[in-house]
Tab-separated table of all heavy atoms in Angstrom:
chain	number	residue	atom	x	y	z
D	247	LEU	N	6.992	32.486	-3.261
D	247	LEU	CA	7.866	31.382	-2.832
D	247	LEU	C	7.021	30.178	-2.431
D	247	LEU	O	6.652	29.995	-1.262
D	247	LEU	CB	8.664	31.989	-1.740
D	247	LEU	CG	9.671	33.135	-2.088
D	247	LEU	CD1	10.420	33.568	-0.892
D	247	LEU	CD2	10.530	32.775	-3.185
D	248	THR	N	6.657	29.387	-3.531
D	248	THR	CA	5.891	28.132	-3.106
D	248	THR	C	6.626	27.132	-2.467
D	248	THR	O	6.096	26.198	-2.005
D	248	THR	CB	5.373	27.695	-4.508
D	248	THR	OG1	6.424	27.382	-5.313
D	248	THR	CG2	4.364	28.674	-5.120
D	249	THR	N	8.012	27.262	-2.478
D	249	THR	CA	8.951	26.151	-1.863
D	249	THR	C	8.933	26.354	-0.403
D	249	THR	O	9.574	25.509	0.350
D	249	THR	CB	10.299	26.308	-2.504
D	249	THR	OG1	10.681	27.571	-2.557
D	249	THR	CG2	10.305	25.667	-3.848
D	250	ILE	N	8.517	27.512	0.159
D	250	ILE	CA	8.513	27.723	1.616
D	250	ILE	C	7.237	27.425	2.141
D	250	ILE	O	6.338	28.225	1.871
D	250	ILE	CB	9.026	29.119	1.941
D	250	ILE	CG1	10.453	29.370	1.500
D	250	ILE	CG2	8.984	29.320	3.541
D	250	ILE	CD1	10.988	30.756	1.836
D	251	LYS	N	6.933	26.284	2.845
D	251	LYS	CA	5.695	25.850	3.235
D	251	LYS	C	5.572	25.654	4.698
D	251	LYS	O	6.518	25.196	5.313
D	251	LYS	CB	5.152	24.582	2.527
D	251	LYS	CG	4.925	24.767	1.075
D	251	LYS	CD	4.468	23.413	0.484
D	251	LYS	CE	4.208	23.519	-0.969
D	251	LYS	NZ	3.774	22.252	-1.552
D	252	SER	N	4.442	25.840	5.380
D	252	SER	CA	4.165	25.442	6.605
D	252	SER	C	3.885	24.009	6.583
D	252	SER	O	3.282	23.442	5.599
D	252	SER	CB	3.055	26.318	7.236
D	252	SER	OG	2.538	25.633	8.398
D	253	THR	N	4.048	23.218	7.668
D	253	THR	CA	3.646	21.754	7.685
D	253	THR	C	2.111	21.586	7.796
D	253	THR	O	1.721	20.499	7.695
D	253	THR	CB	4.422	21.078	8.864
D	253	THR	OG1	4.124	21.678	10.041
D	253	THR	CG2	5.835	20.986	8.640
D	254	SER	N	1.436	22.678	8.197
D	254	SER	CA	0.048	22.661	8.435
D	254	SER	C	-0.658	23.709	7.580
D	254	SER	O	-0.146	24.894	7.692
D	254	SER	CB	-0.274	22.841	10.003
D	254	SER	OG	-1.692	22.978	10.063
D	255	THR	N	-1.652	23.388	6.973
D	255	THR	CA	-2.352	24.457	6.154
D	255	THR	C	-3.434	25.146	6.971
D	255	THR	O	-4.067	26.070	6.500
D	255	THR	CB	-3.049	23.715	4.997
D	255	THR	OG1	-3.884	22.641	5.344
D	255	THR	CG2	-1.917	23.162	3.971
D	256	GLU	N	-3.792	24.475	8.083
D	256	GLU	CA	-4.843	25.047	8.952
D	256	GLU	C	-4.316	25.091	10.390
D	256	GLU	O	-4.089	24.065	11.041
D	256	GLU	CB	-6.082	24.154	8.940
D	256	GLU	CG	-6.723	24.078	7.534
D	256	GLU	CD	-7.850	23.151	7.513
D	256	GLU	OE1	-8.886	23.338	8.252
D	256	GLU	OE2	-7.824	22.108	6.843
D	257	LYS	N	-3.983	26.307	10.920
D	257	LYS	CA	-3.460	26.439	12.200
D	257	LYS	C	-4.275	25.977	13.389
D	257	LYS	O	-3.819	25.505	14.395
D	257	LYS	CB	-2.922	27.893	12.418
D	257	LYS	CG	-1.730	28.293	11.551
D	257	LYS	CD	-1.386	29.699	11.771
D	257	LYS	CE	-0.185	30.121	10.890
D	257	LYS	NZ	0.189	31.501	11.106
D	258	ASP	N	-5.556	26.162	13.132
D	258	ASP	CA	-6.432	25.901	14.381
D	258	ASP	C	-7.082	24.545	14.360
D	258	ASP	O	-7.936	24.241	15.130
D	258	ASP	CB	-7.606	26.950	14.409
D	258	ASP	CG	-6.942	28.405	14.568
D	258	ASP	OD1	-6.001	28.537	15.265
D	258	ASP	OD2	-7.454	29.334	13.921
D	259	VAL	N	-6.724	23.713	13.315
D	259	VAL	CA	-7.332	22.296	13.336
D	259	VAL	C	-6.892	21.523	14.534
D	259	VAL	O	-5.631	21.713	14.864
D	259	VAL	CB	-7.163	21.627	12.094
D	259	VAL	CG1	-7.769	22.346	10.801
D	259	VAL	CG2	-5.646	21.471	11.753
D	260	PRO	N	-7.727	20.676	15.070
D	260	PRO	CA	-7.311	19.746	16.283
D	260	PRO	C	-6.541	18.663	15.806
D	260	PRO	O	-6.429	17.612	16.736
D	260	PRO	CB	-8.585	19.540	16.788
D	260	PRO	CG	-9.549	19.424	15.800
D	260	PRO	CD	-9.153	20.494	14.783
D	261	PHE	N	-6.052	18.515	14.629
D	261	PHE	CA	-5.357	17.292	14.264
D	261	PHE	C	-4.095	17.839	13.425
D	261	PHE	O	-4.122	18.895	13.056
D	261	PHE	CB	-6.120	16.433	13.365
D	261	PHE	CG	-7.009	17.063	12.321
D	261	PHE	CD1	-6.481	17.358	11.156
D	261	PHE	CD2	-8.370	17.224	12.603
D	261	PHE	CE1	-7.289	17.929	10.192
D	261	PHE	CE2	-9.091	17.837	11.706
D	261	PHE	CZ	-8.580	18.335	10.419
D	262	LYS	N	-3.134	16.873	13.203
D	262	LYS	CA	-1.951	17.281	12.469
D	262	LYS	C	-2.206	17.214	10.978
D	262	LYS	O	-2.958	16.211	10.478
D	262	LYS	CB	-0.847	16.247	12.805
D	262	LYS	CG	0.570	16.670	12.362
D	262	LYS	CD	1.540	15.589	12.964
D	262	LYS	CE	2.970	16.002	12.952
D	262	LYS	NZ	3.817	15.087	13.588
D	263	VAL	N	-1.761	18.140	10.273
D	263	VAL	CA	-1.871	18.198	8.819
D	263	VAL	C	-0.497	18.078	8.088
D	263	VAL	O	0.357	18.909	8.396
D	263	VAL	CB	-2.685	19.459	8.303
D	263	VAL	CG1	-2.862	19.519	6.830
D	263	VAL	CG2	-4.012	19.543	9.071
D	264	MET	N	-0.288	17.219	7.266
D	264	MET	CA	0.920	17.116	6.423
D	264	MET	C	0.591	17.141	4.900
D	264	MET	O	-0.551	16.848	4.572
D	264	MET	CB	1.654	15.803	6.705
D	264	MET	CG	2.208	15.692	8.132
D	264	MET	SD	3.097	14.123	8.344
D	264	MET	CE	3.794	14.303	9.900
D	265	GLU	N	1.615	17.453	4.130
D	265	GLU	CA	1.502	17.429	2.649
D	265	GLU	C	2.559	16.440	2.164
D	265	GLU	O	3.713	16.492	2.577
D	265	GLU	CB	1.684	18.790	2.066
D	265	GLU	CG	1.417	18.861	0.570
D	265	GLU	CD	2.589	18.626	-0.309
D	265	GLU	OE1	3.684	18.687	0.153
D	265	GLU	OE2	2.299	18.064	-1.447
D	266	TYR	N	2.132	15.449	1.315
D	266	TYR	CA	3.060	14.530	0.833
D	266	TYR	C	2.606	14.130	-0.630
D	266	TYR	O	1.506	13.781	-0.927
D	266	TYR	CB	3.089	13.234	1.649
D	266	TYR	CG	3.991	12.142	1.125
D	266	TYR	CD1	5.359	12.374	1.291
D	266	TYR	CD2	3.538	11.036	0.470
D	266	TYR	CE1	6.315	11.410	0.840
D	266	TYR	CE2	4.454	10.075	0.002
D	266	TYR	CZ	5.812	10.293	0.123
D	266	TYR	OH	6.651	9.294	-0.368
D	267	GLU	N	3.577	14.450	-1.576
D	267	GLU	CA	3.358	14.137	-2.996
D	267	GLU	C	2.128	14.770	-3.492
D	267	GLU	O	1.320	14.191	-4.267
D	267	GLU	CB	3.288	12.549	-3.237
D	267	GLU	CG	4.589	11.957	-2.931
D	267	GLU	CD	5.597	12.166	-4.005
D	267	GLU	OE1	5.264	12.112	-5.134
D	267	GLU	OE2	6.823	12.251	-3.616
D	268	GLY	N	1.630	16.040	-3.019
D	268	GLY	CA	0.503	16.704	-3.442
D	268	GLY	C	-0.734	16.345	-2.810
D	268	GLY	O	-1.763	16.818	-3.223
D	269	PHE	N	-0.674	15.342	-1.906
D	269	PHE	CA	-1.782	14.933	-1.112
D	269	PHE	C	-1.770	15.379	0.304
D	269	PHE	O	-0.639	15.356	0.976
D	269	PHE	CB	-1.999	13.400	-1.042
D	269	PHE	CG	-2.372	12.857	-2.383
D	269	PHE	CD1	-1.402	12.416	-3.334
D	269	PHE	CD2	-3.713	12.620	-2.676
D	269	PHE	CE1	-1.794	11.828	-4.547
D	269	PHE	CE2	-4.163	12.131	-3.904
D	269	PHE	CZ	-3.092	11.811	-4.826
D	270	GLU	N	-2.974	15.846	0.846
D	270	GLU	CA	-3.027	16.295	2.299
D	270	GLU	C	-3.370	15.178	3.146
D	270	GLU	O	-4.212	14.347	2.866
D	270	GLU	CB	-4.084	17.400	2.315
D	270	GLU	CG	-4.138	18.294	3.568
D	270	GLU	CD	-5.031	19.288	3.687
D	270	GLU	OE1	-4.803	20.360	2.855
D	270	GLU	OE2	-6.121	19.238	4.198
Side-chain angles (χ1 to χ4, degrees):
L247 302 180
T248 57
T249 47
I250 300 177
K251 291 183 180 178
S252 166
T253 55
S254 173
T255 56
E256 301 175 61
K257 292 182 181 177
D258 299 324
V259 294
F261 44 81
K262 196 174 194 177
V263 181
M264 290 184 174
E265 188 273 337
Y266 180 72
E267 294 286 321
F269 287 90
E270 196 173 283

